[in-house]
Each structure stands twice: as structure tokens, then as C-alpha cells.
Amino acid sequence: MSTQQTKDIVVVGAGQAAAQAAQSLRAGGYSGSLTIVGDESALPYQRPPLSKAYMKGEFDEERLYFKPAAWYKDQKIEVLLGTQATGIDRAARRVLLGHGGHLPYDALIIATGSRPRPMPTPGADLEGVHDLRTLADVERMRPQMVAGRRIVIIGAGYIGLEAAAVARQMDLEVTVIEMAPRVLARVTSPAISEFYTAEHRRQGVTILTSTLVSKLEGSAGKVSAAVLADGTRIPADMVLAGIGILPNEELARDAGIACSNGILVDRDARTSDPLVFAAGDCASRPLVHYGRTGRLESVHNAIEQGKLAAAAILGQPRPAEDCPWFWSDQYDLKLQIAGLSQDYDTLVVRGDPAARKFAVFYLRNGTLIAVDAVNSPPEFLASKKLIMSGAKLAPDVLSDTSTPMKDIAAQAAA
């Protein structure tokens, strides 16, 4: 795509991928019209702290912002907040807006992110039942996060467990209910699941696995209890649903752009329409280190795809594609994940979980495909490089803590 022909770029969505794309476009020399359309009232902001430091009131809203308002003004980036993009007219190359206006584009980036999966449980519409995805969600929850109150969290993924940790640190009574046989079942191995289950229970969290919520009960329109499938009633002053997210792909799908559990893109974040790109949670991309396609729900992915889309629009070389990585903070535990562990055939533990500092490596056919590192930055950092290089490693080498991880990486690269 030639920047000489690109005079108007529109970014729909105002999250991490959108902010990165706009920043990369300006840094890459694009000087034309650049507009970000966001349906929230806040400037583009970080989401990970919402379930952690921001929930605890440890810093102000402005600290969540990627850039202050003055930066967008200096960069001549128009940010339309509280504005809904309602359609894409691909023939006329314009984005339709909820107030009846439209924006012309020569290139369009869809960075609409994702939304919480709705809970099908009767009573989910009661007052005091929350999702945790946006600033507004936290603002609704925070006044209720009072010591001694009872919170029921439905879903034991990262968001659910992070919220459970914060709630316990704020002295709430916490019950986590998970329909799967173990916590974090979708994203990690039994070894990590068992460690985090034990930690949360040690901190006073009640964790119920293989358990279904049949309904939520209320009094005067406000939630008062979660009722389990076996009839057990768990009193609740508030309920948090953390049962996964759905990609916001409708804008693209309604415009005839190919979608399948996300907006389908190539390695340059380009959709089936060569003038339209997609980045972040809403996009299903080639996972080049794994030979398949999938959606990644992470800060790293949003940043990387924002850069990829900008480079493609500017006609610049494709930026490097890192292996996927993620993190989760719970209590004093920092879990850093590199790679994707699905379909591993060998699991190797390095270090002692009882010491709260260890790593679990995942191999397939002798090749390292992922690591879960708990309070172990060297294992995380070395594994990122090893995964990208397709390194084959012997389990006894990985488990030998007498050999520093950097030496293992150096030997594998030799």
C-alpha cells in the first residue's frame, strides 16, 4: 500500500492495538488524516491493571492512559470518544457512525477488541452482578468491594483468579466456582492449576471445581445468592462473571469481511479486504511458531499486531513476530507465560513449587513449545528465545537447576 495514496486512516476501537497502530503510523512517517473511534468515554487505556492495582485504588485513572490528551493533539490524531461505529461501506470506503455521520478512509484498522461472554444463568441481570472488562465495570464494582462482604466469582480463568486475589487482599469473603475439573483448565497444565488452587485456598478463598451455578437469587432486585446445580445456596453480596470473552467481529462480518472466531487476517494484519486491517483480541491471525491460526488475548499480541498493520499500510518491512507471551499477577506471584502449551506431550518442572519459584516447561516431540514461569524471570526470558528458534531440549537438562537458564539457552543456540 502506498502512503502517497493514503490520505485518510481510520482506526475503529480505542484499546491497546488502536493506540499502538496510531503511534506506529505517526512514528513511521504517516502525516495524513488519522482518526480513532472509541465507544468508551476514556482515552485509550491499559486493561490489565483493572483487575489488579486499579481495582485496589492504587493509582488514578490517568495512569491507565497510554498517552495523555496532549499527545494526541500534538500528533494531530483525532480521537472520537463515546462514538459508535455502526457499519463499514466498503464500496464508498467510509465508516458509518452512530450519530449519522461517516468517516472516509483509504485504509481502515479494526481494533474493536472483545466483550465478556454473557452468562446464561437465570438472575444474571440482577443488580450486583458484574463483568470485569472496562473502566466503567470497575467503577461499578469498586464501591461494593468492602471488607467483610461476600463475593462469588464464576469462572476460574486469569481474570477470575486475579479478582479473587484482589478481593482477598481487600478482606472480602471469596468463593470461586468453576465448571471445569480444575482452575485455569483452558490455558495451562494440571501442575500449575494445582499450585494456584493451593495458593488461593491458603489465602482463604473457597474454590469449587466441577461445579455449575443453576441460578442467581435476588432480593429487591439485588443479587443475594448463587444456587448450585445440587441446590447448595452460597450467599453473595456481589457476583463477578469471568467465563471468557467473545471477539467483536460483527462490524467486519456485516461488511462481508471473512471471520471465523475473530476477523481473519494474514501475517500483516490484513483482512480479506486489502484496504482493511484488524488487530488485537478481535483478530484471528497466523500463529507462525505453531503452524496454525488463532486468536490471542494479550497485551503483547495487541502491540505486535498494531505494529504489523501500521507497517503494512506504510509499505514498510514486516516487524518481527515474537512468540506469544502473557502474564498474571496474583498475590506476590508473577506468572509469566511464553508460547502456547496446547498439545504438549512432555512436561518438565524446574525448581520447587513449595519455594514459590519454579517453571513448568512443555515439549512436543522434544521441541520446547511453552513455559509457565512462576516468580522465575530467567526461565521466561530464555524460553521465549528457545521457542522461537524451535530448540530441542532434553528434559533432564531443563530440570537441572544447577545449570543457569542462560547457559542452557546458549548451549541450545550453539
Side-chain angles (χ1 to χ4, degrees):
M1 182 174 289
S2 170
T3 53
Q4 294 177 339
Q5 299 170 336
T6 306
K7 298 176 182 176
D8 296 292
I9 298 178
V10 176
V11 184
V12 177
Q16 182 97 51
Q20 182 62 58
Q23 184 177 339
S24 295
L25 284 164
R26 284 295 189 238
Y30 174 68
S31 58
S33 166
L34 180 53
T35 305
I36 295 175
V37 181
D39 58 7
E40 294 186 57
S41 60
L43 287 170
Y45 62 88
Q46 306 171 66
R47 294 191 190 275
L50 293 181
S51 60
K52 300 179 272 289
Y54 188 72
M55 176 72 79
K56 289 188 281 187
E58 292 179 351
F59 54 72
D60 297 331
E61 179 180 317
E62 287 71 21
R63 286 187 59 188
L64 294 175
Y65 297 162
F66 299 119
K67 298 288 184 182
W71 181 85
Y72 295 96
K73 184 177 180 181
D74 291 344
Q75 294 292 317
K76 294 182 172 56
I77 299 171
E78 185 175 9
V79 184
L80 302 179
L81 298 176
T83 303
Q84 186 81 35
T86 57
I88 302 169
D89 183 341
R90 292 166 57 202
R93 293 196 314 200
R94 61 184 188 173
V95 175
L96 310 180
L97 303 177
H99 56 58
H102 68 268
L103 295 169
Y105 69 83
D106 297 304
L108 170 64
I109 301 173
I110 303 174
T112 43
S114 55
R115 63 187 183 278
R117 187 182 295 276
M119 194 163 55
T121 311
D125 57 347
L126 288 165
E127 181 186 343
V129 180
H130 301 275
D131 295 314
L132 180 47
R133 186 68 185 162
T134 67
L135 265 169
D137 293 335
V138 179
E139 295 305 325
R140 282 189 290 269
M141 284 185 67
R142 209 154 48 172
Q144 300 176 40
M145 300 285 283
V146 176
R149 289 194 178 176
R150 301 160 298 185
I151 182 172
V152 170
I153 299 173
I154 301 174
Y158 291 128
I159 290 293
L161 293 186
E162 288 170 3
V166 168
R168 278 304 298 139
Q169 289 167 325
M170 297 175 76
D171 288 327
L172 279 79
E173 294 182 21
V174 184
T175 301
V176 176
I177 301 171
E178 171 58 53
M179 64 184 293
R182 56 187 176 88
V183 307
L184 301 172
R186 188 175 66 87
V187 292
T188 194
S189 64
I192 293 290
S193 296
E194 290 165 12
F195 174 80
Y196 274 93
T197 297
E199 176 63 20
H200 278 277
R201 285 177 172 157
R202 189 178 73 83
Q203 296 281 356
V205 177
T206 299
I207 292 185
L208 306 175
T209 55
S210 299
T211 301
L212 287 172
V213 175
S214 64
K215 65 178 178 177
L216 299 177
E217 284 184 346
S219 175
K222 188 179 187 306
V223 71
S224 58
V227 180
L228 307 184
D230 66 2
T232 302
R233 187 176 179 277
I234 300 175
D237 299 301
M238 59 188 302
V239 170
L240 173 63
I243 58 173
I245 62 175
L246 298 172
N248 291 326
E249 63 180 32
E250 290 79 7
L251 197 65
R253 191 178 65 223
D254 292 347
I257 294 170
C259 297
S260 179
N261 184 30
I263 305 166
L264 295 174
V265 298
D266 64 13
R267 290 180 66 179
D268 295 310
R270 184 181 279 108
T271 72
S272 56
D273 181 327
L275 299 181
V276 180
F277 299 76
D281 284 5
C282 67
S284 180
R285 63 179 293 190
L287 304 175
V288 295
H289 304 289
Y290 296 89
R292 60 185 176 86
T293 296
R295 276 194 318 107
L296 299 175
E297 302 160 6
S298 70
V299 168
H300 154 251
N301 176 65
I303 291 173
E304 185 170 89
Q305 283 201 296
K307 291 178 178 179
L308 288 166
I313 290 170
L314 296 172
Q316 295 175 350
R318 181 187 298 144
E321 295 164 276
D322 208 348
C323 86
W325 58 267
F326 317 81
W327 81 89
S328 177
D329 293 321
Q330 299 170 44
Y331 307 110
D332 60 343
L333 302 170
K334 177 170 281 293
L335 171 61
Q336 293 172 293
I337 305 116
L340 303 173
S341 61
Q342 289 89 345
D343 303 321
Y344 70 90
D345 56 35
T346 303
L347 181 149
V348 180
V349 178
R350 176 183 174 89
D352 181 9
R356 303 167 68 78
K357 181 181 172 65
F358 69 103
V360 177
F361 297 92
Y362 305 91
L363 296 95
R364 186 170 62 233
N365 298 325
T367 299
L368 182 65
I369 60 170
V371 67
D372 291 329
V374 178
N375 290 342
S376 299
E379 280 69 19
F380 168 70
L381 293 170
S383 293
K384 283 175 67 179
K385 296 176 181 177
L386 290 165
I387 292 165
M388 286 191 288
S389 68
K392 287 190 174 292
L393 296 158
D396 60 334
V397 171
L398 283 172
S399 63
D400 182 6
T401 55
S402 67
T403 304
M405 199 66 206
K406 66 176 190 293
D407 292 349
I408 293 174
Q411 292 164 12

